[in-house]
Amino acid sequence: MTENNTTTRTCCPYCGVGCGVIATRHGDGSVSVAGDPEHPANYGRLCSKGSALGETLSLEDRLLHPEIAGRRAGWDEALDLVADKFTTAIRDHGPDSVAFYVSGQILTEDYYVANKLMKGFIGSANIDTNSRLCMASSVAGHRRAFGADTVPGTYEDLELADLVVLVGSNLAWCHPVLFQRLEAARAANPAMRIVVIDPRETATCALADLHLALAPDTDVALFNGLLAFLAETDALDHAYLANHTRGLDQALAAAGPCDVKRIAAETGLPPQDVALFYTMVARTSKTVTVYSQGVNQSVVGTDKVNAIINTHLATGRIGKPGMGPFSVTGQPNAMGGREVGGLANMLAAHMEIDNPGHRTLVQDFWNSPVMAETPGLKAVDLFKAVKAGRIKALWIMATSPVDSLPDADDVAAALKTCPFVAVSEVTRAADTVPFADVLLPAAAWGEKDGTVTNSERRISRQRRFMDLPGDARPDWWQLADVARRMGFADAFAYRGPAQIFREHAALSAVGNNGRRDFDLGGLADISEDDYDAQPPVQWPQAQKGGSEETRFFGSGGFFTRDGKANLVPTAFKAPEKHGRTYPFTLNTGRIRDQWHTMTRTGMTARLASHIAEPFAEIHPEDAAPLGISAADLVEVKSPFGKVTLRAQLTERVRKGTVFVPMHWTDQFAASARIDTVVAPRTDPVSGQPGSKFTPVSVKRSAMIWHGFAILRQRPRDIPADYWAIARVEDGYRLELAGSGAPDLEDLATRLAGDTGEMLRFHDAASGQLRVAVWQENTLQALIYLGAEPVAVSRGWACGLLAEAAGQPGLRHRVLAGRAPADRPDPGAIVCSCFQVGANQIADAVQAGADSVKAVGTCLKAGTNCGSCRSEIRMLIDTLNQEVAEDADIAKAG
C-alpha cells in the first residue's frame, strides 16, 4: 500500500476460471487491476477482459435509485410493492404463481438467500437461473453417473496429463487463463498431446495436434465408438469397473461395435482421424477430457456428458492426477449457484428436492413454514408459463432473458403480459429494463462482498473496494428485506454476507458425515475477521483446516446408494435433417474480448477494438451460390426470428454451418440478438436449450446505401436498417446501412447533432457524402455515407477523436478519408492490449519474426495478458503456408 492507494485482493467477475485479481484504488479515484500471483487459479495471469476491468468502473448508465413505473422511488416504497405483489399472488393463486430468475453472476450469499426464500418460505421451486443455459447438462450428467453434481478433478490435472482432449471448448477465447496454463504445460512437456473436438477451427486449434471437426451434435457417436474401441482393445480397467461401477454391459450395448467407417459417416470425420484419436486415448492413461458449451448446449447434452464420463469410468481414469472428465463452466459463480440449490430441480447443499429426507433436513434447519416438494419450472418452461399467464409475479436478477434465452422475442412478449416484473440491475442500458414495473439498483463488481466458486470447486472471496453509489444495494440485502416484509423477519435477519456464509456452510454439514460431496462444515463457525481474510479454498472443507485430498473418485466412493458409479447407456440419435427452407445449422458462442451481453465489456474501447460488429461465419462454398461476398450484410433467419449481420467468409466453419456470436443486444446493434433465432428446444433431462443447433436460412441483405462514422457523442436515434455501434477512445464508431433511398444530408445532420462547425464534401455523381464536424480545433464527428461500402481505414479513423487538436492538414485528411503515409493501416486488431493489428503482424513475420515470441519482441503483441497468442500463431502459420504455396507455384512454373 502506498499513500492514498488501497489494495484489495478479489476475484474476476467474468468466466468460471475464477482468477484472483489485485485491485488498487488510487488517490484520484481510478482503479488499476493486476493478476494475483498467489491465487491458485491463475497465479498472476489475466486475460484481455480481466486486464481491462479497471476501465469498466464508470457510473455511466448506472441504475442508482429504485424506480416504480419509470419514476424515482425510495427503497421502502419499492420493496413494499415487491413484497405486496408477491404476497398477493401467492394468496390468490398459490406459491407456484411466483418465480425468481437469477444469475451465475450473483454471489453465493445472494443465491443462498434467494433459494431459501423461494423454496423454504414461499414454498415453490420456481427459482431458476441463466446457468441453466450453460451447465445444466453437466449437472444432470454428473448426477446420473456419480450420484451427485461433483467435479472430480482440478486445473492441475490439465498440466499433469499426457493427453488433453478439448470437446466443444474454445478454451483460448472462452477460458483464456486456463488455456495459458495448458500452453505453459505443453511447453514444459513437449510429449503432451492435445486434441480439439469442435465443428469450428477455433483459436484453440492453434495448440492442437489433432482437430476433429465433427458434424454438430454427433459427439455421442464419437464417444460411444471410443468406449467400444477401449473394450475391444482391452484398454479397460476391469478391477475399477468391478469394484466401483455398474452398467458397463448396458453402455456397451447402447454404443454398439467399434465400426470406424460407420462412426466416421455418422460424425462426418475422416476414418483415419477417428482411428488416430481412439488409439491416442487407448494408449495414454493420463488423459483429461475438458468439455464446455459445445457439449452442454444441446438437446442431447446430458447424453454427451455421460458418453464422455463412460470412457473415464471404464478405464479408471478419474480422480487421479492428470486423469478425468472436466466440465469448465461459463460464469463466475455458476458453481456457487449449484451448491446452494439455485436451480429449480435442486435443494441447497447438493441435496435432492425429490428426496423426502433431504426436504425434511433442510426445512428443519431453516425452521421454515413450508418446503417445495417438487421441481420448479426450468428457464425455458418458466418463461412459457409467464406467457401463458401462470406466473403473476416475477423477479429477475443480474441477467437479461430477452437476450440470452432461446426464442428471445417470445420471452419479450411474455414479459409484456406478466402482471408484475421486478428487475434488480446495475445498468439501465439492458434490454430487460423496459419490461420492469420496479427497478432495483444492485451492487456491481467492486461494490459487492461475498464468495464465488470456480470450475475446480475453489471458493474465493469477491471483496468490496468501492463505495456503493447512490442507493445501490447488494442482492442479498434486497431479498432479505423483501422476505422481512412478507413476514419472515426472524429467518432473514442477516447483518452481512459472513453471517449468510456461516449458515450456508453449516447446512452443508447437517446429516452429512461423508454421505454428500458438498461439505463446508469446517467453515461453519468462521469469524467475521477470518471471513474477510479467507484465502481461496477447495471444497470439501468438512474439517477445520480443509482436506488434503482435492480430487474425487480415484478409489471409488461415489454418492449413489451403493457407492458405485453408473455407466449410463447413451444411444446415438442422429441430428434432424434440415429441409430446403432452413438448410444451414446455426452455431452460437462467444468471442475473445466480450462477455455475455456486453453491459460491462462494451464500456471499454480496448475490448471493442478486437471485434466491433456482429458477424456470421459462413463457409465460402456455401456463400458463393447465395451471391454473398466477404463483408456483405446477411440475414440469418429461423422460424423464430431473424438478424442482420456482417458476413465473414472462412473455411474455419464446416460447410452447411453458420457461426454467430451471442453478445450483441439492442444496445449495440439494430438487429443482432441471435437468441431471437435460436429454437427453444431443450434437453429432456437437463432442460438446457440446444443453442448450437438451429436450422436457419441465410441470404444477402440488399442495401442501397452504406455508412461509417466516428462520433464523440452517441446519437439518440440511428435512422438505418442496419447499424452497429462500439466504443473507441473518446467516442464511438458506427457502421450503418439502409435499403431505402435516404436523404444523406439529413442523415448526417441527425448523426452529428448540433455540435459545431460542419465541413462537407458531396460527390453527386458517386453518391458520396463526407461530413466532418469541428468545435474549434477538436473533431466532434466524422461521417462517410455513400452507395458503396465505405473504403476507409477503420484503424486510422477510430483513433482520430483522440488525436491532438489542430494538427496541420488534419481537416483535409479526414474528409479525404486517407491515412497519412506515416500511419499505415494496422489491419484488424489482434492484440487489444497494445492495439496491434493483423497487417502489422504480417509485416513483422515477413521481416523475419517467425514465432509468437519474436512477434512479441518486435511489436509487444501477446506479451501482456496473452489472450491473442493463439491468433498470432494462426496468422504466422497462414502466412507461412501462403509463402510455401507461392514457392510451389513458382517451382511448377
Side-chain angles (χ1 to χ4, degrees):
M1 182 183 295
T2 59
E3 188 175 358
N4 296 322
N5 291 350
T6 57
T7 297
T8 304
R9 277 192 154 87
T10 183
C11 58
C12 181
Y14 293 127
C15 78
V17 175
C19 295
V21 172
I22 295 176
T24 301
R25 190 168 187 188
H26 303 282
D28 61 1
S30 65
V31 175
S32 58
V33 299
D36 184 348
E38 297 179 14
H39 197 289
N42 58 315
Y43 297 108
R45 300 176 178 91
L46 286 179
C47 72
S48 56
K49 295 183 290 292
S51 296
L53 274 168
E55 301 165 25
T56 68
L57 299 175
S58 163
L59 292 183
E60 183 179 348
D61 294 326
R62 275 298 296 271
L63 182 65
L64 296 174
H65 308 283
E67 294 181 11
I68 298 174
R71 65 170 176 83
R72 181 171 170 176
W75 273 112
D76 282 338
E77 183 184 9
L79 296 182
D80 276 347
L81 181 59
V82 175
D84 177 68
K85 290 293 186 181
F86 272 75
T87 300
T88 300
I90 294 164
R91 181 195 66 206
D92 294 346
H93 304 282
D96 287 336
S97 69
V98 301
F100 294 165
Y101 187 64
V102 297
S103 165
Q105 294 180 78
I106 63 175
L107 305 184
T108 299
E109 291 77 3
D110 305 321
Y111 250 130
Y112 180 86
V113 177
N115 186 59
K116 178 180 176 180
L117 174 58
M118 180 55 74
K119 289 178 180 153
F121 289 81
I122 291 174
S124 171
N126 282 348
I127 173 172
D128 214 48
T129 164
N130 62 6
S131 299
R132 177 74 58 189
L133 313 181
C134 76
M135 44 51 31
S137 291
S138 284
V139 174
H142 288 161
R143 293 175 73 181
R144 291 205 301 187
F146 307 145
D149 176 24
T150 312
V151 175
T154 70
Y155 293 162
E156 184 186 37
D157 291 324
L158 277 72
E159 298 165 325
L160 298 177
D162 293 323
L163 175 64
V164 176
V165 182
L166 300 167
V167 192
S169 167
N170 184 6
L171 205 69
W173 278 21
C174 301
H175 301 90
V177 168
L178 203 50
F179 181 77
Q180 291 170 34
R181 289 183 63 168
L182 183 60
E183 275 188 308
R186 171 70 170 272
N189 176 20
M192 176 191 283
R193 293 294 174 258
I194 297 170
V195 176
V196 173
I197 302 173
D198 195 309
R200 297 172 63 222
E201 183 186 351
T202 66
T204 303
C205 293
L207 203 60
D209 298 285
L210 176 64
H211 173 215
L212 298 178
L214 79 177
D217 270 0
T218 61
D219 310 65
V220 170
L222 183 66
F223 280 91
N224 277 353
L226 175 58
L227 180 66
F229 182 86
L230 295 169
E232 292 172 15
T233 56
D234 198 26
L236 303 184
D237 185 333
H238 295 286
Y240 190 91
L241 283 164
N243 293 328
H244 304 303
T245 75
R246 72 164 79 84
L248 175 64
D249 291 342
Q250 294 89 335
L252 285 172
C258 183
D259 181 341
V260 170
K261 288 185 179 179
R262 171 182 56 80
I263 295 163
E266 290 172 341
T267 59
L269 293 170
Q272 63 272 23
D273 287 353
V274 173
L276 175 60
F277 169 56
Y278 288 176
T279 302
M280 291 170 76
V281 175
R283 293 178 178 177
T284 312
S285 61
K286 295 179 73 173
T287 295
V288 171
T289 306
V290 178
Y291 63 91
S292 192
Q293 308 312 343
V295 168
N296 294 330
Q297 291 180 334
S298 167
V299 296
V300 291
T302 306
D303 278 355
K304 291 184 184 183
V305 171
N306 285 116
I308 290 169
I309 291 174
N310 285 347
T311 65
H312 283 272
L313 291 173
T315 53
R317 300 172 184 172
I318 186 168
K320 301 166 187 172
M323 305 183 198
F326 198 104
S327 162
V328 285
T329 53
Q331 296 195 83
N333 202 31
M335 290 283 282
R338 289 149 71 172
E339 293 158 11
V340 304
L343 290 164
N345 56 318
M346 298 174 69
L347 274 184
H350 281 196
M351 285 184 266
E352 300 171 5
I353 200 167
D354 49 5
N355 182 319
H358 287 178
R359 292 199 304 268
T360 299
L361 188 154
V362 175
Q363 186 172 5
D364 289 348
F365 179 86
W366 283 341
N367 192 26
S368 63
V370 291
M371 177 57 64
E373 296 184 353
T374 58
L377 294 167
K378 298 170 185 175
V380 173
D381 290 335
L382 171 59
F383 284 89
K384 288 180 179 178
V386 173
K387 190 176 183 185
R390 288 158 41 208
I391 301 298
K392 308 298 182 182
L394 174 66
W395 192 345
I396 299 170
M397 193 171 293
T399 186
S400 185
V402 298
D403 297 317
S404 57
L405 277 166
D407 196 8
D409 281 345
D410 204 54
V411 173
L415 291 178
K416 282 182 182 178
T417 65
C418 189
F420 180 75
V421 178
V423 174
S424 294
E425 252 297 352
V426 300
T427 177
R428 60 178 58 258
D431 288 350
T432 301
V433 164
F435 300 96
D437 296 290
V438 174
L439 280 171
L440 304 173
W445 182 79
E447 303 153 10
K448 293 182 178 186
D449 196 38
T451 59
V452 295
T453 306
N454 73 359
S455 295
E456 64 166 354
R457 297 177 275 105
R458 191 175 300 279
I459 299 170
S460 298
R461 287 279 280 110
Q462 195 173 106
R463 294 182 174 90
R464 175 176 165 182
F465 56 86
M466 299 174 67
D467 295 332
L468 288 165
D471 291 329
R473 293 292 182 272
D475 296 302
W476 68 262
W477 181 92
Q478 298 177 30
L479 287 155
D481 211 303
V482 167
R484 288 193 287 271
R485 292 164 199 263
M486 292 178 72
F488 311 127
D490 291 345
F492 292 87
Y494 299 119
R495 297 180 302 276
Q499 183 182 1
I500 302 168
F501 183 84
R502 283 194 293 272
E503 183 178 314
H504 163 54
L507 174 56
S508 74
V510 172
N512 198 328
N513 298 320
R515 297 173 189 166
R516 302 190 304 272
D517 61 340
F518 182 70
D519 192 339
L520 297 181
L523 300 173
D525 60 353
I526 190 170
S527 68
E528 296 283 336
D529 288 344
D530 287 346
Y531 178 81
D532 287 342
Q534 177 65 51
V537 294
Q538 266 183 312
W539 62 258
Q541 293 281 318
Q543 307 295 327
K544 288 184 179 180
S547 169
E548 292 183 5
E549 180 54 64
T550 59
R551 298 175 178 87
F552 283 91
F553 312 139
S555 300
F558 295 92
F559 296 97
T560 55
R561 288 184 180 180
D562 63 359
K564 290 190 173 185
N566 299 306
L567 278 83
V568 178
T570 55
F572 172 61
K573 306 174 188 72
E576 65 182 51
K577 299 288 185 182
H578 298 340
R580 292 183 180 181
T581 306
Y582 301 106
F584 297 99
T585 298
L586 171 66
N587 177 14
T588 65
R590 299 182 179 184
I591 60 173
R592 191 190 75 192
D593 287 359
Q594 296 298 343
W595 172 253
H596 280 205
T597 55
M598 300 197 288
T599 50
R600 178 182 296 278
T601 51
M603 297 178 70
T604 165
R606 189 205 318 185
L607 297 181
S609 66
H610 182 231
I611 297 174
E613 269 189 285
F615 62 90
E617 288 185 348
I618 307 168
H619 195 281
E621 292 182 26
D622 290 330
L626 299 172
I628 296 171
S629 300
D632 278 351
L633 292 171
V634 296
E635 176 190 274
V636 178
K637 182 180 179 181
S638 77
F640 307 97
K642 60 183 179 181
V643 292
T644 303
L645 312 159
R646 189 74 66 182
Q648 284 190 6
L649 305 192
T650 174
E651 294 182 355
R652 291 192 298 270
V653 293
R654 282 181 61 95
K655 285 187 285 186
T657 68
V658 179
F659 173 81
V660 178
M662 59 176 273
H663 307 287
W664 273 264
T665 69
D666 288 347
Q667 307 299 317
F668 297 97
S671 177
R673 289 166 48 236
I674 191 57
D675 277 299
T676 64
V677 179
V678 173
R681 296 177 60 214
T682 60
D683 181 288
V685 181
S686 69
Q688 182 160 355
S691 300
K692 294 183 176 291
F693 194 102
T694 297
V696 295
S697 63
V698 180
K699 72 174 185 179
R700 186 175 182 273
S701 295
M703 300 292 177
I704 66 171
W705 66 268
H706 302 262
F708 170 72
I710 56 168
L711 309 164
R712 200 165 291 276
Q713 300 294 327
R714 177 171 177 147
R716 294 181 180 178
D717 176 45
I718 304 174
D721 296 304
Y722 171 84
W723 58 265
I725 195 165
R727 299 270 182 160
V728 297
E729 192 173 353
D730 294 338
Y732 298 86
R733 58 172 288 172
L734 176 67
E735 302 280 351
L736 63 167
S739 58
D743 181 335
L744 296 182
E745 292 279 357
D746 177 68
L747 176 59
T749 301
R750 291 170 70 180
L751 292 175
D754 185 18
T755 55
E757 176 189 1
M758 187 175 287
L759 302 181
R760 290 179 173 82
F761 170 78
H762 190 189
D763 184 347
S766 66
Q768 289 187 47
L769 175 66
R770 299 178 180 182
V771 175
V773 181
W774 299 83
Q775 196 171 74
E776 296 181 350
N777 285 324
T778 303
L779 183 65
Q780 299 295 311
L782 178 60
I783 301 163
Y784 300 99
L785 301 169
E788 299 295 329
V790 177
V792 63
S793 165
R794 271 39 173 189
W796 166 71
C798 288
L800 289 173
L801 293 176
E803 286 201 1
Q807 287 188 22
L810 183 60
R811 292 192 175 205
H812 299 294
R813 285 206 308 272
V814 299
L815 274 184
R818 291 195 299 268
D822 62 351
R823 180 95 175 264
D825 181 5
I829 296 298
V830 175
C831 174
S832 56
C833 293
F834 294 110
Q835 294 294 288
V836 180
N839 292 349
Q840 294 169 291
I841 293 170
D843 290 343
V845 172
Q846 290 171 359
D850 58 355
S851 67
V852 174
K853 183 177 181 181
V855 169
T857 301
C858 181
L859 300 172
K860 292 189 176 181
T863 62
N864 185 36
C865 75
S867 297
C868 63
R869 286 202 291 261
S870 59
E871 287 174 83
I872 295 171
R873 187 180 291 111
M874 291 176 79
L875 275 172
I876 294 170
D877 291 344
T878 299
L879 291 165
N880 289 339
Q881 183 178 347
E882 290 173 357
V883 170
E885 288 173 355
D886 288 344
D888 289 343
I889 292 170
K891 277 184 186 178

